[in-house]
């Protein structure tokens, strides 16, 4: 299946206030309620289209500053969303501030705090895949040390992705060491000049679950780290095999329009399912 990432084209999540210093509980809660309604709208859209859906990591703004876990209105909307979690695959991907292997104790502590909020939200909503990048280069052993201290539930939903710093084969070896599934990002692999990865080994990290992958195209040149509006026709052709065995999140700025272009592409001779 194709995967929609976070939102529909041109419509983002709300924060309520534009800075931490301006925190206002009423405005932030209204933003969270809006985001939950919007998340439900995206889920219904994906169900209609036959897509999977990556839930935004920003649905609950400023989660450390208010007790959203006990708010009746918030929980009522979350319960409605969870009712759909058995009907389609839901994913979440915390932002770049989660760096479990940082040399800074303060950064690690903040990362664990962010991760706990995301895991709590994922559990309530029914999300089974929480994607992490490894973070600091040359910090694999530190990552493993922190990873093994996480609780069983957190480890059960964590999946690890190759990024601009860690090559696909490095993440594959790490996943095999800790027993975590690997998300293959084919564009990250291209950027790191590491496209000679073992697809079958990557698929085996998922055991009895369908593997997950990401696809994107460079904005201004082929290995540009920034994402383009659409997946290029060349990339759809090059990675046509990906859509057969993986659920594929489409990381493109035009969101659902980019998914539609892939689904309609003449190079995809196989059925996306």
């Amino acid at each position: 299946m194709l995967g929609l990432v976070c939102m529909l084209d041109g419509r983002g999540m709300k924060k309520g206030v534009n800075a931490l210093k301006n925190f206002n509980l009423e405005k932030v809660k209204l933003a969270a309620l809006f985001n939950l309604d919007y998340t439900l709208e995206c889920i219904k859209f994906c169900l209609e289209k036959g897509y999977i859906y990556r839930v935004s990591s920003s649905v609950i703004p400023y989660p450390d500053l208010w007790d959203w876990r006990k708010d009746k209105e918030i929980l009522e909307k979350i319960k409605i969303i969870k009712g759909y979690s058995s009907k389609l695959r839901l994913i979440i991907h915390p932002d770049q501030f989660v760096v479990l292997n940082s040399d800074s104790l303060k950064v690690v502590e903040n990362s664990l705090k962010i991760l706990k909020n995301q895991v709590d939200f994922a559990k309530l909503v029914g999300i089974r895949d929480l994607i992490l990048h490894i973070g600091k280069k040359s910090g694999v052993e530190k990552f493993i040390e922190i990873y093994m201290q996480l609780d069983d539930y957190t480890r059960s939903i964590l999946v690890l992705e190759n990024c601009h710093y860690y090559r696909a084969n490095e993440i594959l070896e790490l996943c095999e060491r800790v027993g975590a599934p690997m998300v293959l990002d084919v564009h990250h692999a291209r950027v790191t000049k590491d496209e000679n990865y073992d697809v079958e080994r990557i698929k085996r990290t998922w055991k009895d679950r369908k593997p997950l992958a990401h696809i994107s195209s460079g904005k201004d040149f082929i290995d540009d780290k920034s994402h383009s509006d659409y997946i290029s026709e060349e990339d759809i052709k090059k990675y046509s095999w990906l859509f057969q065995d993986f659920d594929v999140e489409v990381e493109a700025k035009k969101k659902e329009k980019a998914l539609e272009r892939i689904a309609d592409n003449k190079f995809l001779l196989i059925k996306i399912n």
Side-chain angles (χ1 to χ4, degrees), residues 230-247:
Y230 296 93
I231 306 303
S232 71
E233 201 160 271
E234 292 77 14
D235 282 347
I236 294 173
K237 184 177 181 180
K238 177 179 180 178
Y239 299 114
S240 61
W241 55 269
L242 195 66
F243 301 96
Q244 188 166 5
D245 295 328
F246 290 76
D247 280 339

Side-chain angles (χ1 to χ4, degrees), residues 91-109:
I91 301 145
I92 199 164
H93 191 352
D95 60 30
Q96 71 272 18
F97 298 110
V98 178
V99 184
L100 297 181
N101 58 358
S102 172
D103 290 331
S104 166
L105 179 60
K106 185 175 181 180
V107 170
V108 173
E109 289 175 345

Side-chain angles (χ1 to χ4, degrees), residues 7-133:
M7 60 195 72
L8 299 168
D9 182 36
R11 297 174 55 200
M13 297 285 163
K14 293 185 177 182
K15 295 180 66 177
V17 295
N18 59 8
L20 182 63
K21 64 181 180 180
N22 299 324
F23 181 81
N24 177 290
L25 178 57
E26 182 178 358
K27 290 181 179 180
V28 169
K29 178 179 172 178
L30 285 174
L33 292 170
F34 170 88
N35 293 343
L36 288 165
D37 285 339
Y38 183 24
T39 297
L40 183 58
E41 179 187 346
C42 290
I43 287 173
K44 289 179 177 179
F45 172 83
C46 288
L47 271 174
E48 179 185 341
K49 296 291 185 178
Y51 299 151
I52 62 171
Y53 179 54
R54 183 196 298 178
V55 178
S56 171
S57 62
S58 303
V59 171
I60 307 294
Y62 304 100
D64 290 334
L65 299 185
W66 59 297
D67 202 354
W68 59 271
R69 296 170 184 81
K70 295 182 179 179
D71 188 285
K72 185 177 292 186
E73 290 179 276
I74 296 292
L75 291 177
E76 284 176 356
K77 290 186 181 292
I78 285 177
K79 184 178 180 181
I80 294 171
I81 292 172
K82 187 170 186 179
Y84 286 85
S85 65
S86 62
K87 301 177 183 179
L88 79 168
R89 186 176 195 172
L90 296 178
I91 301 145
I92 199 164
H93 191 352
D95 60 30
Q96 71 272 18
F97 298 110
V98 178
V99 184
L100 297 181
N101 58 358
S102 172
D103 290 331
S104 166
L105 179 60
K106 185 175 181 180
V107 170
V108 173
E109 289 175 345
N110 188 56
S111 296
L112 290 170
K113 188 182 297 184
I114 295 171
L115 183 59
K116 184 180 187 318
N117 277 314
Q118 295 291 309
V119 170
D120 288 351
F121 177 73
K123 190 172 185 178
L124 287 169
V125 171
I127 294 170
R128 290 188 58 203
D129 300 306
L130 191 153
I131 303 171
L132 278 188
H133 290 162

Side-chain angles (χ1 to χ4, degrees), residues 6 85 124 157 160:
C6 297
S85 65
L124 287 169
I157 65 170
L160 308 180

